[in-house]
């Protein structure tokens, strides 16, 4: 999948939590900039927590990881929590494993679980 196939939808969940739903391939710098921008905005607008639903992502590469890391940094600067929700496709999970970034993120098995502390 190419980055141009990426769809990013931002919604407000329970308690004002920002939910960013990602569908398609999380690859390609131009396609991932939309996610990166949404994460930076969410860091300042969430109720202390942003949930990124990655269950619709079939593939991710370094551009997608860069967008998520930029979002993580923005959330850290505002004191908000960023939670990545699955279930994750095997290739997406593998990206976090091979890059050593599994421990950098907080993961939840699904969106509903991501709302709990």
């Amino acid at each position: 999948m190419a980055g141009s196939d990426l769809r990013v939808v931002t919604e407000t969940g329970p308690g004002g939590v920002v939910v960013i739903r990602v569908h398609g391939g999380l690859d390609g710098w131009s396609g991932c900039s939309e996610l990166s921008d949404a994460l930076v905005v969410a860091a300042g607008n969430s109720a202390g927590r942003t949930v990124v639903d990655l269950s619709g992502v079939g593939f991710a590469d370094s551009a997608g990881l860069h967008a998520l890391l930029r979002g993580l940094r923005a959330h850290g600067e505002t004191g908000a929590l960023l939670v990545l929700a699955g279930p994750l496709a095997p290739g997406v999970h593998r990206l976090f494993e091979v890059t050593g970034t599994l421990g950098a993120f907080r993961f939840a098995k699904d969106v509903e679980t991501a709302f709990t502390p």
Side-chain angles (χ1 to χ4, degrees):
M1 282 185 205
S4 61
D5 294 334
L6 184 66
R7 284 190 345 241
V8 177
V9 178
T10 302
E11 346 174 310
T12 303
V17 172
V18 174
V19 179
I20 300 174
R21 298 190 188 274
V22 186
H23 300 275
L26 192 50
D27 61 337
W29 293 108
S30 62
C32 291
S33 65
E34 183 180 356
L35 173 60
S36 181
D37 293 345
L39 286 166
V40 170
V41 169
N45 295 336
S46 71
R49 178 182 301 244
T50 300
V51 175
V52 181
D53 179 3
L54 296 176
S55 64
V57 176
F59 175 79
D61 69 5
S62 61
L65 180 60
H66 177 78
L68 292 169
L69 287 169
R70 181 174 179 232
L72 182 64
R73 182 175 54 245
H75 280 74
E77 290 170 358
T78 63
L81 179 64
L82 179 65
V83 182
L84 306 183
L88 299 179
V92 175
H93 186 266
R94 179 97 175 112
L95 175 68
F96 293 110
E97 284 181 330
V98 300
T99 59
T101 55
L102 267 176
F105 293 96
R106 180 170 182 173
F107 292 91
K109 67 178 183 173
D110 54 37
V111 172
E112 293 73 27
T113 306
F115 289 114
T116 59

